[in-house]
Amino acid sequence: MSRLPVSVIVTASGSVNDFRACLESLRPTLGLRDEVVCVLPAHRADLRDLLRGKTWLTVLDDDSGDQTARWSAGVSATRHPIVVLLDGDVVLSAHWLDPVLDALGDPAVVAAGPRCHLSLGPQHATVPKESAANVPAFKAYARNWRQENAGRFTDVDRLGPVCVAIRRDALERAGGPTADLPYDRLRDQGRLVIAHGALVAHVGTEQCTLQPPAIADDAPLVSACMIVKDEEDVLAESLTAMWEFVDEIVVYDTGSTDRTRDIAREHGATVIEGYWNDHFGDARNRSLAHCTGKWILGIDADEVITGDAAAAREWLATARADRSAFVIGVQSITGHGTSVYGRQLSPRFFRRNRVTYSGRIHEQVVNPVSGNPLVGPELPGVDIVHSGYTILRSTVKNKGERNVRLSQLAVEDQKDGAWAVVNLARSQLLAGQVDATIETCKKGLENNPREHHRHLLRPLIEAYLGSGRIAEARSAVAQLREAGGSPAAADDLEARLCILDGDFAGALDLVTAIPATALDDMMIAVDDSRTAEIEILALSGLERHHEAADRIRDCVRKGRLPVAIPKMAEILTADGSGIEELATLLPRHALRSLLLAASDVPTDLADRVYETLWQEHRAPMILASAARLGERLPVMRAMEWSARLRQYGFAAHCTLLALAASPARAPRDRVLAAAIAVELFSEERAMPLLEEALDAVPDAENGPVLDDLRRLAPTIAAAIEPASVA
């Protein structure tokens, strides 16, 4: 069957063998009327011999050093209404062009492309390693792919940079080709479509001509790149810490309403007043566009970098040319700021010209051509501490609801993207949406390739554990092991399952066998900071209270709370001390976190924690935390804390007034609290509260209330007693 003739523009690229494979796979797929132009960059003279004698194509020499100019030269030298832009290290499959041209048979479609192994964007397809090992294996895989995906087309917002067919007139109206192609302007003219029945394989090595050019030698060594919104409470600390490591800081603001931009400027950062489009990857790329350094430090406002800055800069300055990234350890502080959820190795230093951010949420740094996530060796002696998932920060930033919404949008963006489904499940779990997490994971396991199953099983197991569905969690752990997931991650999850099931010896055996350097499937260390909770709960369940208490003491000395405060109180009491011991063990820098954690526990226990901390530290922040207990405290404890608050200038936060104003408290307690505030502290604000509370006292309690007042507030008792007698 005849089809539209096309003009194919190929940029000579890749190794000699890569380019040979491209030409050999291209020729059999051409129609009689198709034309081919091969643009040969001046620095790729090594590929010229492969073009000699090939009368079926025209060679254009190019010395511009610019991919935009190469595409433009090829388009200008051709004539057909459809132009195909093709990188020269792509292996094509039989009939790959037919589904692409079928899509362009609709006049509303202005550009279409095949699925492509190692390509950034919606065209991306993952070809199994064994099927990408050689050309025959790939072509066999592509044949089956074509049969399974025949007739499938998807509208997208953009296509990739490796292989795409575009209407010539639409490309001209868009201003001509660009290095990453003008998809925004093309989309204004019509539809962009993926033809799923077509599959090509991009080799994507360092010799790929689409890779960006080198950065000038006189560029700064390191730029910090961050996006922010309403970060005034954490930004200053982050900026102060990073200046030793970088030469410039670019802060891209997405719409702050607090002092964030002012703080950034006060700390010497370049502030870009930008916008937010519900897409973290896009926002980070807009920030990245303003950076000038050879290397980028990707960092957030709620992260603080630590370590040997001079050594880190030396590593970056002397890194070999093909080194694109270094990973560093990121410690995420969770709970109330005292728990550490492992240490994740994350690519945070990377070459500016070798990266783009990809993903609406949980964005990754990837190669701008192949879409491969950047990897590299660990940069020694450098760490980042991340506080974004503490309870306080998550609540203030409303991260749970936000992440679910963005993850749902990402699933809609990436109709065939398994990672978008994984991120949705993780976001639902973070937001406490257990049933939704289970449903998402189950559907994901049914509809996505096996290589993604281990990433979906992790949130599924955690959701089962969170809802007490032990049998289903056990089955999912077995599936995780079969799916080839991290043994340490499976051991960690199974140990938590054992705790729920009362198998404390089994839990202890599992966690103590995990290697100290083990990583899970998300490159997060399954280390002491993560397993201490299981070990303590297991030891406690086995009634080995002294060992459990000693593990608690080890963690608290490091500023971490390994288990909930009520459980620590139970274990320490069983060992002969009590929760009061925390005050002598906890470093002062961790004081705020313990105070926040105590705010969620029963009142009497929180009061004991605050009291012992006050006796040890006498820090005003302890008074602020105790003040929040005001309406829940016994009257006499409210009186003691009120006296301390007034002594240190915090009368506005009087615990007696809070109690007196609380409709949840008995009228008798409210009367006593208000009366004591007037009697001891001449607190005028207590008088209307006292009158209101007296009116609410039942007649049967008038006598006992008056007796209490005679003892605790005799002046008030004398003032009201005549009226009472009368």
Side-chain angles (χ1 to χ4, degrees):
M1 183 174 67
S2 63
R3 60 164 173 77
L4 291 171
V6 299
S7 300
V8 181
I9 296 98
V10 184
T11 299
S13 185
S15 69
V16 171
N17 288 336
D18 296 337
F19 188 45
R20 179 186 292 111
C22 176
L23 296 177
E24 289 176 352
S25 65
L26 173 61
R27 179 67 190 276
T29 67
L30 297 172
L32 292 175
R33 295 182 295 162
D34 294 342
E35 58 180 350
V36 180
V37 167
C38 183
V39 183
L40 181 66
H43 70 283
R44 298 311 314 269
D46 58 321
L47 303 180
R48 182 174 294 278
D49 286 347
L50 295 179
L51 297 170
R52 290 194 175 95
K54 291 186 169 46
T55 57
W56 53 275
L57 57 77
T58 301
V59 179
L60 296 181
D61 289 308
D62 173 76
D63 59 3
S64 67
D66 178 72
Q67 186 61 28
T68 300
R70 294 173 196 136
W71 289 140
S72 297
V75 170
S76 298
T78 57
R79 56 189 175 83
H80 290 313
I82 304 294
V83 296
V84 177
L85 304 179
L86 180 66
D87 188 28
D89 64 345
V90 171
V91 177
L92 304 161
S93 59
H95 310 293
W96 70 279
L97 196 49
D98 295 341
V100 175
L101 294 180
D102 286 346
L104 285 161
D106 182 344
V109 176
V110 297
R115 295 292 296 277
C116 181
H117 179 57
L118 297 186
S119 177
L120 177 66
Q123 286 180 262
H124 172 79
T126 300
V127 175
K129 186 175 181 179
E130 61 273 15
S131 299
N134 54 63
V135 173
F138 168 70
K139 290 191 173 182
Y141 181 83
R143 183 166 53 251
N144 292 330
W145 175 287
R146 184 171 66 252
Q147 294 169 354
E148 293 173 2
N149 294 279
R152 286 187 60 213
F153 301 94
T154 301
D155 284 32
V156 293
D157 63 346
R158 64 185 298 107
L159 295 161
V162 174
C163 180
V164 62
I166 309 175
R167 294 191 190 278
R168 183 185 297 269
D169 57 353
L171 186 59
E172 290 173 352
R173 286 192 293 270
T178 57
D180 53 356
L181 301 177
Y183 289 120
D184 289 345
R185 294 190 293 275
L186 287 169
R187 193 173 59 242
D188 291 338
Q189 302 179 55
R191 295 164 52 205
L192 310 180
V193 172
I194 291 177
H196 292 280
L199 180 66
V200 303
H202 181 217
V203 179
T205 65
E206 289 294 318
Q207 293 176 286
C208 174
T209 307
L210 295 181
Q211 296 288 357
I215 296 173
D217 290 339
D218 60 351
L221 180 63
V222 190
S223 299
C225 173
M226 64 163 50
I227 60 173
V228 297
K229 182 180 180 182
D230 293 337
E231 304 284 6
E232 66 177 3
D233 56 331
V234 293
L235 182 59
E237 183 180 7
S238 178
L239 296 174
T240 300
M242 77 177 72
W243 265 123
E244 287 187 88
F245 292 83
V246 304
D247 303 291
E248 69 171 359
I249 299 174
V250 173
V251 173
Y252 183 92
D253 186 86
T254 61
S256 292
T257 57
D258 62 3
R259 292 195 65 252
T260 293
R261 291 191 293 269
D262 294 337
I263 291 170
R265 291 188 178 101
E266 289 166 4
H267 283 77
T270 299
V271 177
I272 309 300
E273 297 191 19
Y275 63 95
W276 176 244
N277 64 336
D278 281 340
H279 199 297
F280 276 99
D282 286 354
R284 291 198 188 278
N285 285 327
R286 292 193 292 271
S287 179
L288 191 61
H290 293 275
C291 296
T292 64
K294 298 175 185 177
W295 288 87
I296 299 296
L297 166 62
I299 193 167
D300 286 333
D302 53 14
E303 295 179 330
V304 176
I305 188 169
T306 64
D308 190 336
R313 291 177 63 85
E314 180 65 19
W315 273 83
L316 298 176
T318 58
R320 65 177 195 250
D322 63 346
R323 174 69 64 213
S324 295
F326 287 96
V327 301
I328 61 176
V330 180
Q331 295 187 9
S332 287
I333 308 300
T334 61
H336 287 288
T338 50
S339 300
V340 180
Y341 188 72
R343 179 176 181 268
Q344 183 175 28
L345 294 178
S346 175
R348 294 304 189 96
F349 283 100
F350 39 83
R351 292 191 188 273
R352 175 166 58 90
N353 67 327
R354 300 286 182 85
V355 69
T356 190
Y357 281 96
S358 177
R360 184 183 287 273
I361 187 171
H362 300 305
E363 62 283 4
Q364 290 184 298
V365 285
V366 301
N367 182 282
V369 179
S370 70
N372 279 342
L374 292 192
V375 294
E378 184 173 0
L379 193 66
V382 180
D383 281 286
I384 283 177
V385 178
H386 174 223
S387 62
Y389 286 107
T390 60
I391 292 173
L392 178 62
R393 290 286 296 166
S394 293
T395 301
V396 169
K397 304 292 286 185
N398 196 20
K399 286 190 174 183
E401 180 182 329
R402 180 203 68 188
N403 286 2
V404 170
R405 180 174 60 82
L406 294 184
S407 295
Q408 288 170 334
L409 290 174
V411 170
E412 296 172 9
D413 293 342
Q414 303 175 35
K415 296 178 176 61
D416 296 284
W419 271 113
V421 178
V422 173
N423 286 336
L424 174 59
R426 291 167 57 196
S427 298
Q428 290 168 330
L429 187 65
L430 176 68
Q433 300 176 9
V434 175
D435 291 340
T437 303
I438 293 171
E439 182 181 358
T440 297
C441 291
K442 285 184 172 180
K443 288 182 178 179
L445 290 168
E446 292 174 1
N447 300 325
N448 286 286
R450 183 175 175 81
E451 58 261 30
H452 292 285
H453 284 194
R454 66 184 187 275
H455 300 293
L456 287 160
L457 285 166
R458 173 69 179 270
L460 177 62
I461 294 166
E462 292 187 6
Y464 281 147
L465 292 176
S467 56
R469 295 162 67 170
I470 294 175
E472 290 162 295
R474 193 178 302 283
S475 175
V477 169
Q479 292 179 59
L480 179 62
R481 295 192 188 280
E482 293 173 5
S486 159
D491 289 345
D492 175 50
L493 290 165
E494 187 172 356
R496 295 175 191 278
L497 169 60
C498 289
I499 293 291
L500 280 180
D501 204 22
D503 180 9
F504 303 116
L508 193 60
D509 287 343
L510 284 163
V511 296
T512 54
I514 294 174
T517 57
L519 298 175
D520 68 11
D521 295 306
M522 302 301 294
M523 295 295 285
I524 301 175
V526 187
D527 58 13
D528 171 76
S529 64
R530 185 158 150 190
T531 60
E533 176 188 15
I534 303 172
E535 187 177 352
I536 291 166
L537 293 176
L539 289 168
S540 174
L542 294 169
E543 298 188 0
R544 292 161 60 177
H545 302 303
H546 182 67
E547 293 170 79
D550 276 349
R551 289 294 288 119
I552 289 174
R553 294 176 183 115
D554 289 341
C555 292
V556 172
R557 288 188 186 99
K558 298 173 184 175
R560 294 191 279 113
L561 303 183
V563 294
I565 288 179
K567 190 65 180 179
M568 283 196 289
E570 175 190 323
I571 293 171
L572 292 171
T573 300
D575 191 44
S577 62
I579 197 67
E580 290 79 6
E581 187 180 0
L582 289 183
T584 63
L585 299 175
L586 190 75
R588 191 178 179 89
H589 69 78
L591 185 58
R592 185 182 300 277
S593 299
L594 176 57
L595 293 170
L596 288 170
S599 66
D600 288 340
V601 306
T603 303
D604 59 339
L605 184 55
D607 188 27
R608 286 169 58 194
V609 171
Y610 294 153
E611 179 65 30
T612 53
L613 289 175
W614 175 253
Q615 297 302 329
E616 182 73 22
H617 296 285
R618 300 287 170 138
M621 70 175 73
I622 301 171
L623 295 174
S625 296
R628 288 194 287 269
L629 291 179
E631 66 181 51
R632 295 188 281 143
L633 287 169
V635 173
M636 299 310 294
R637 287 297 293 157
M639 180 181 71
E640 292 179 55
W641 283 113
S642 178
R644 291 166 178 167
L645 286 161
R646 293 171 185 278
Q647 179 182 355
Y648 285 85
F650 300 116
H653 302 283
C654 173
T655 45
L656 287 170
L657 291 177
L659 194 164
S662 174
R665 295 298 295 267
R668 183 175 181 173
D669 288 346
R670 293 167 56 198
V671 167
L672 291 178
I676 292 171
V678 175
E679 181 86 14
L680 296 185
F681 308 119
S682 302
E683 179 58 77
E684 296 181 359
R685 291 174 298 169
M687 288 302 298
L689 298 175
L690 175 60
E691 293 172 2
E692 182 181 337
L694 283 168
D695 290 340
V697 173
D699 291 342
E701 293 185 20
N702 281 337
V705 168
L706 189 57
D707 287 341
D708 288 338
L709 287 175
R710 291 188 185 111
R711 180 169 52 88
L712 298 173
T715 303
I716 298 297
I720 65 173
E721 191 164 5
S724 175
V725 172

